[in-house]
Amino acid sequence: MINLILFGPPGSGKGTQAAKLVEKYNLVHISTGDLFRYEMGNNTPLGLQAKAYMAKGELVPDSVTIGMLLNKVESHPDAAGFIFDGFPRTIPQAGALDEMLAAKNTQVAGLLALHVPDEEIVQRIKLRGNTSGRADDNDESIIRNRINVYKNETSPVYDHYAKSNKSQTINGIGTIDEIFGRLCDAIDQLIG
Ligand code: ADP
C-alpha cells in the first residue's frame, strides 16, 4: 500500500491537487473536511457535532474525527493506498493513523507539505469564499483563526513524520500543473 499525507495550511491547494493525484496514482482520497461537510449537509448527528467547531475555524474534537476517519478507511478494504487530506491535523490523530496502518502491516510513506505564505492563503480563501458557499471562507477573522490553529495544533504533525524522515516541503506557489509536477516528482521518488 502507498499511504500519503497531503499537508499544508487551509487554502494551500490540497483538495485541488488530491483530485489530480488520485487519478494518476489510483489511490483513495479521504478529505476529513469534505466528510464533515457531507455530514453537515445531511444534518446527521456527526454533522451537527462538527458544525459549531467548523464555523469558528476550530478543530473538531479528535474523538469525533478519528472515529470517522477509521470508518472511512475500513470502507475501502481493497484500496491500493490512500491520500489523506486534512488528516492528521493533531498529534493524537497522527498516533491513531500510525496505529491503524501498523495493524494493516503498512505505514505512512510520506508527508508532502504545500508551502504557501499566510497573506497568499488569506487572499485565496477569500476568493474561494465567493463561490464555495463555506461560512468559514467568508470572514477574515475566521480564516486567520484557521491559520493559527494550523500553526499551533497541526504543524507539529510535520515534525512527527520528520523524525522518520518522511516529511518534505513542496513549494505551493505556481500554476496548478507546476505544483502537481512537484508533487509527482516527490511521490515517484517515494514509490520508485
Ligand atoms: P481547510 O483546510 O481549507 O481549512 P478543510 O475542508 O480541510 O479546509 O477543513 C474545514 C474544517 O473542518 C476545519 O477548519 C475543521 O473545523 C474541520 N476539520 C477538517 N479536518 C479535521 C481534522 N482532521 N480534525 C479536526 N477538524 C477537522
Side-chain angles (χ1 to χ4, degrees):
M1 277 183 110
I2 306 164
N3 301 298
L4 301 169
I5 299 171
L6 196 53
F7 200 73
S12 57
K14 300 184 296 286
T16 304
Q17 296 296 335
K20 291 172 72 71
L21 292 169
V22 288
E23 256 185 61
K24 173 159 176 176
Y25 294 99
N26 188 33
L27 301 171
V28 173
H29 175 207
I30 299 186
S31 156
T32 43
D34 287 350
L35 291 173
F36 282 132
R37 279 185 288 277
Y38 175 82
E39 299 286 339
M40 258 168 34
N42 288 293
N43 283 314
T44 65
L46 181 61
L48 294 173
Q49 260 181 303
K51 196 170 188 166
Y53 298 99
M54 291 179 75
K56 285 186 281 189
E58 304 287 340
L59 295 182
V60 179
D62 285 337
S63 54
V64 176
T65 306
I66 290 170
M68 178 181 72
L69 186 284
L70 298 183
N71 277 334
K72 193 70 191 172
V73 169
E74 293 309 332
S75 73
H76 291 279
D78 300 323
F82 294 91
I83 295 185
F84 297 102
D85 160 6
F87 187 95
R89 249 173 161 103
T90 63
I91 291 290
Q93 290 180 17
L97 178 64
D98 293 344
E99 257 181 48
M100 186 263 295
L101 293 176
K104 297 180 183 303
N105 294 315
T106 182
Q107 56 182 331
V108 169
L111 176 153
L112 306 174
L114 291 170
H115 182 260
V116 180
D118 287 1
E119 287 317 307
E120 166 80 13
I121 287 169
V122 174
Q123 294 316 315
R124 283 190 194 179
I125 296 180
K126 279 184 170 169
L127 195 67
R128 181 172 77 182
N130 293 334
T131 52
S132 70
R134 283 175 54 174
D136 63 342
D137 282 352
N138 275 298
D139 178 320
E140 180 151 346
S141 67
I142 293 174
I143 297 172
R144 295 211 180 263
N145 190 35
R146 286 156 63 195
I147 295 173
N148 285 334
V149 168
Y150 175 78
K151 287 185 178 155
N152 296 330
E153 298 181 55
T154 303
S155 63
V157 172
Y158 183 97
D159 304 328
H160 171 81
Y161 289 104
K163 284 184 197 144
S164 46
N165 285 322
K166 288 179 178 165
S167 295
Q168 50 184 308
T169 300
I170 307 284
N171 178 2
I173 296 286
T175 66
I176 289 174
D177 285 334
E178 279 165 355
I179 298 163
F180 181 62
R182 292 174 199 143
L183 288 167
C184 292
D185 288 347
I187 294 170
D188 292 342
Q189 292 263 326
L190 284 174
I191 64 183

